[in-house]
Amino acid sequence: APPETILDDEEEPFVPSHGITSAEADQLLEQWGRNELVEKKKAVWEIIFELLTGPMPIMLWLAIIIEGIIGNYADLGILLAIQLINAGISFYETTKAGNAVAALKSSLKAKATVKRDGKW
């Protein structure tokens, strides 16, 4: 019996697929690799460096340097404390979010049902 056709909005017939063969799947796997995203994990020092070199932290560093040049060490200490506390909190939040994503990813096991050689 011919496969059932379904019409979409543009009235073009849609014929359901019979899937691909195992040989075609092997060839596609060899040509393109596995269907997965490459995980990009940053080192701790990269995260800290980015937190200390953004636009706002750079302005704070400039203010710290200026306070040091003019000899206002009390303000220098306050600004330095603000900079380090902000970086510490941001580092905690960044790693916490990364750990939450990793936990979600490990709990979700991807499984797909495919049609190979005309069989599910």
Side-chain angles (χ1 to χ4, degrees):
E4 190 178 307
T5 59
I6 301 169
L7 298 179
D8 63 7
D9 293 340
E10 298 173 1
E11 299 292 326
E12 293 178 14
F14 171 76
V15 180
S17 172
H18 293 288
I20 60 175
T21 65
S22 296
E24 288 172 318
D26 290 339
Q27 179 189 9
L28 290 171
L29 180 62
E30 185 178 321
Q31 181 180 1
W32 299 106
R34 295 181 54 82
N35 186 15
E36 60 189 9
L37 295 174
V38 177
E39 195 170 328
K40 298 176 184 175
K41 187 164 180 155
K42 289 186 179 180
V44 172
W45 69 268
E46 287 178 301
I47 296 170
I48 294 171
F49 180 77
E50 287 177 2
L51 292 173
L52 294 174
T53 59
M56 192 59 139
I58 287 175
M59 288 194 306
L60 277 172
W61 286 123
L62 291 174
I64 290 168
I65 291 168
I66 291 170
E67 294 297 336
I69 290 171
I70 63 174
N72 192 348
Y73 299 113
D75 286 348
L76 181 146
I78 291 169
L79 290 173
L80 188 60
I82 290 170
Q83 179 80 304
L84 296 177
I85 290 169
N86 184 45
I89 292 170
S90 297
F91 178 77
Y92 172 75
E93 291 296 325
T94 301
T95 54
K96 183 178 165 185
N99 292 341
V101 169
L104 276 173
K105 189 175 179 180
S106 69
S107 70
L108 299 173
K109 299 293 180 191
K111 184 176 181 181
T113 304
V114 298
K115 202 172 202 182
R116 289 286 181 270
D117 304 313
K119 299 176 187 171
W120 286 103

